[in-house]
Amino acid sequence: MSYTQVQLQPAFILQHRKYRESSLILDVLTRDFGIVSILARGVRKPKSKTAGLLLAFTDLKLSYMGRNELKVLTNVELGETTIQLKGLSLYCGFYVNELLGYFLHKNDPHPEVYIEYQHCLTLLAKTQETEQILRFFELNLMDYIGYGFELSFDVKKQTQVDIAKKYSCDTEAGMIESVDGYVSGATLLSLTAREHLDEHALYEAKQLMRRIIDFQLQGKVLKSRAVLAKIIKQL
């Protein structure tokens, strides 16, 4: 692997883990290089000034270098956007981070996903429509990484979905009209247009996206999903 030196790359920390006595290994979502693993040396020492900056959901600019897959952090600065997630929004943020960890390959650039992620966090920090924000993020993520399909089209009839009909999802092909369908044509059209979803549409959209995501996960379990469900029940 060739030597890499990157200066002040926009990034968000997705997760971290302890390394030796005083360091951390960070998995970060960068704007131009995808997910990168970075060693932050000595940041767990009591007098470290960097540790207070290396937090999840914080807009950062990271400098790092190295020849191996694990890069070494050389500098960190705060970005221009201030994001503060609290309560339910915080748990939603952890869910989004876990999604990215499963669906993005390391060192595979997806600038559009970085922008979508930043937009998602900003909305979570400002509004309480967390369910709608998550559904739209899931949809856009699937589209960006090549797992999306046309929700407004009935693949069996080869026609646009009817707002008065019910549909099921063939996870390998698309939407199909079905008397036992769990999502209405109206909801599918609203999702396609990223329009406001009422309570019933949110319920249908959640069932749909869970099926799509679970199919792509191929048996992997989203731990944050169970935690988020418990938090929502308590509200």
Side-chain angles (χ1 to χ4, degrees):
M1 183 175 292
S2 60
Y3 182 82
T4 300
Q5 186 168 1
V6 175
Q7 298 293 328
L8 298 178
Q9 172 66 202
F12 286 92
I13 296 172
L14 298 181
Q15 64 176 354
H16 70 268
R17 54 193 180 278
K18 295 179 181 179
Y19 181 75
R20 295 183 176 175
E21 293 183 359
S22 62
S23 302
L24 290 174
I25 293 179
L26 313 171
D27 287 335
V28 303
L29 175 67
T30 68
R31 184 188 63 192
D32 300 323
F33 304 99
I35 294 180
V36 179
S37 292
I38 300 176
L39 173 62
R41 289 174 171 162
V43 296
R44 291 166 51 213
K45 293 180 179 179
K47 295 184 179 180
S48 174
K49 296 180 181 180
T50 305
L53 301 178
L54 298 176
L55 303 174
F57 317 121
T58 300
D59 183 14
L60 299 172
K61 291 184 179 180
L62 304 180
S63 299
Y64 55 88
M65 63 181 185
R67 188 178 304 277
N68 300 319
E69 183 174 340
L70 180 62
K71 308 305 180 184
V72 177
L73 183 70
T74 57
N75 187 39
V76 54
E77 297 181 9
L78 288 176
E80 300 174 357
T81 305
T82 300
I83 299 172
Q84 293 184 334
L85 300 186
K86 300 178 181 179
L88 178 59
S89 292
L90 180 63
Y91 290 97
C92 290
F94 288 127
Y95 168 72
V96 169
N97 281 6
E98 191 175 14
L99 271 184
L100 293 179
Y102 274 123
F103 283 111
L104 296 185
H105 299 290
K106 286 189 177 180
N107 306 304
D108 184 15
H110 280 283
E112 68 282 7
V113 173
Y114 174 89
I115 294 172
E116 184 67 29
Y117 176 77
Q118 186 177 43
H119 180 61
C120 177
L121 295 187
T122 301
L123 291 178
L124 286 173
K126 292 182 178 180
T127 74
Q128 296 181 346
E129 296 183 336
T130 54
E131 288 286 335
Q132 178 168 290
I133 294 168
L134 291 181
R135 298 298 82 78
F136 290 169
F137 177 82
E138 291 166 345
L139 274 173
N140 292 335
L141 176 63
M142 293 298 105
D143 285 343
Y144 289 142
I145 62 178
Y147 292 149
F149 47 75
E150 181 56 68
L151 297 179
S152 64
F153 190 74
D154 185 327
V155 295
K156 188 173 184 179
K157 290 187 173 182
Q158 293 292 297
T159 59
Q160 182 170 320
V161 299
D162 187 325
I163 60 173
K165 300 291 179 61
K166 290 286 188 177
Y167 295 85
S168 294
C169 178
D170 181 327
T171 48
E172 294 184 333
M175 306 311 302
I176 298 174
E177 183 183 336
S178 170
V179 292
D180 299 321
Y182 48 84
V183 57
S184 68
T187 295
L188 292 173
L189 292 175
S190 293
L191 283 170
T192 300
R194 307 302 192 267
E195 295 177 344
H196 178 76
L197 304 174
D198 61 24
E199 185 175 354
H200 182 68
L202 283 172
Y203 175 79
E204 291 186 338
K206 189 172 186 176
Q207 307 312 305
L208 172 65
M209 293 311 301
R210 176 162 292 200
R211 284 170 169 82
I212 293 173
I213 290 172
D214 285 351
F215 174 76
Q216 298 298 343
L217 286 174
Q218 297 182 339
K220 297 176 183 177
V221 178
L222 290 168
K223 297 179 181 179
S224 58
R225 180 187 281 170
V227 175
L228 187 56
K230 291 181 180 178
I231 296 298
I232 292 175
K233 286 183 179 179
Q234 295 173 1
L235 296 178

